[in-house]
Amino acid sequence: MIKTTLARLQQKHRTTRYPDGPPPSLPDRYRGRPVIAAGACPEGCRQCADECPTGAITLEGSVGLDLGKCLFCARCEAVCPAQAIRFGRDHQLAASRREDLVLGPEGARLAVELSDRLRRLLGRSLKLRVVSAGGCNACEADTNVLSTVGWDLGRFGIQFVASPRHADGLLITGPVTAAMRPALRKTWEAVPEPKIVIAVGACAISGGPFLGHAEQHDGAASTVPVDLHIPGCPPHPLTILDGLLRLLGRIPEPEAGG
């Protein structure tokens, strides 16, 4: 017991102070919100769009990048001769509407908080049932990290629960495979009204690398209504936390990305 106490004193404060303080440092290889340089795309060049494995890039008038499909593989950045697309360090990626994930030179709109009615009903807590609808466990792992002492998700009143009947909503990962679709629907139906749905990761938003495959359904929205989209492959725990806090109004001023 004495050794444990001494070790804890040496470790000092280990929980990130975000959002009241600066965000924790991110790895050198971290890829955050892409930045698109307006007018930099060479005329007739399609290298980025042709290289993208999920068709996340469109070239209709100007470059558009769908963060809901993006795997953050950075192939587009590597092949672009003019560096019209580059990956920045911004961890703020979550959006309330699916269309708000489409990024252009002007940036994109971040998630907004729940309605006043929902916030009154939920009070100061949010209980979520996590459903892995065919995921590879990468998004699941980064979600679980939020329960550790480094992040301490419970200090915000957010908890993961074992039963949908005890939940205020679902946090879904994975592309929603054919086998998991009925289970996801039944789990959603078991959550009491009013309820919310959060899609975490490219698979849960669009199908990710499995987009269009016959054995999956291209994300959670194929089966249940989605209130918050958190892109990434997988999204960093900081990105997930930022999205959840925006939903609860703990980060009240959404900032335009880009």
Side-chain angles (χ1 to χ4, degrees):
M1 183 66 183
I2 294 176
K3 289 183 178 179
T4 302
T5 303
L6 289 174
R8 186 66 187 88
L9 290 172
Q10 290 176 347
Q11 291 167 354
K12 299 182 180 179
H13 189 87
R14 291 191 292 169
T15 304
T16 173
R17 300 183 185 276
Y18 186 80
D20 296 327
S25 58
L26 295 168
D28 292 339
R29 296 197 297 174
Y30 172 77
R31 294 172 186 152
R33 178 182 294 277
V35 177
I36 299 175
C41 191
E43 185 176 353
C45 179
R46 291 190 50 85
Q47 291 191 57
C48 60
D50 293 340
E51 189 71 16
C52 182
T54 58
I57 298 175
T58 57
L59 300 172
E60 298 175 2
S62 62
V63 179
L65 197 159
D66 187 344
L67 293 178
K69 294 181 179 180
C70 182
L71 304 182
F72 290 75
C73 65
R75 293 185 188 178
C76 54
E77 182 181 48
V79 301
C80 180
Q83 292 191 313
I85 300 177
R86 61 179 178 81
F87 283 81
R89 305 280 297 172
D90 189 353
H91 65 274
Q92 301 168 105
L93 302 171
S96 299
R97 302 185 305 168
R98 177 66 180 89
E99 55 266 34
D100 287 340
L101 290 175
V102 179
L103 181 67
E106 69 283 356
R109 186 182 181 191
L110 296 178
V112 296
E113 63 185 286
L114 294 168
S115 66
D116 290 340
R117 174 177 174 271
L118 271 177
R119 284 193 289 111
R120 286 197 303 268
L121 288 170
L122 294 177
R124 296 179 62 84
S125 68
L126 181 64
K127 314 298 184 186
L128 298 172
R129 175 68 169 98
V130 179
V131 179
S132 177
C136 70
N137 283 331
C139 292
E140 293 85 344
D142 277 1
T143 298
N144 290 338
V145 164
L146 294 176
S147 297
T148 64
V149 67
W151 300 91
D152 191 16
L153 189 64
R155 65 195 161 112
F156 302 109
I158 307 173
Q159 294 179 328
F160 301 137
V161 296
S163 170
R165 300 191 184 280
H166 300 159
D168 300 307
L170 303 181
L171 188 152
I172 303 170
T173 60
V176 186
T177 60
M180 278 300 300
R181 191 179 196 186
L184 174 59
R185 184 70 188 185
K186 289 180 181 179
T187 304
W188 180 78
E189 290 172 350
V191 178
E193 294 283 355
K195 49 194 169 188
I196 62 174
V197 174
I198 301 165
V200 174
C203 286
I205 295 173
S206 67
F210 311 105
L211 178 67
H213 195 285
E215 294 301 319
Q216 56 83 47
H217 295 278
D218 291 344
S222 65
T223 307
V224 296
V226 177
D227 302 285
L228 180 67
H229 307 79
I230 305 179
C233 188
H236 192 278
L238 181 59
T239 297
I240 302 173
L241 177 61
D242 180 81
L244 295 175
L245 294 181
R246 288 183 185 278
L247 191 71
L248 296 179
R250 297 296 297 267
I251 306 178
E253 292 295 333
E255 304 168 20

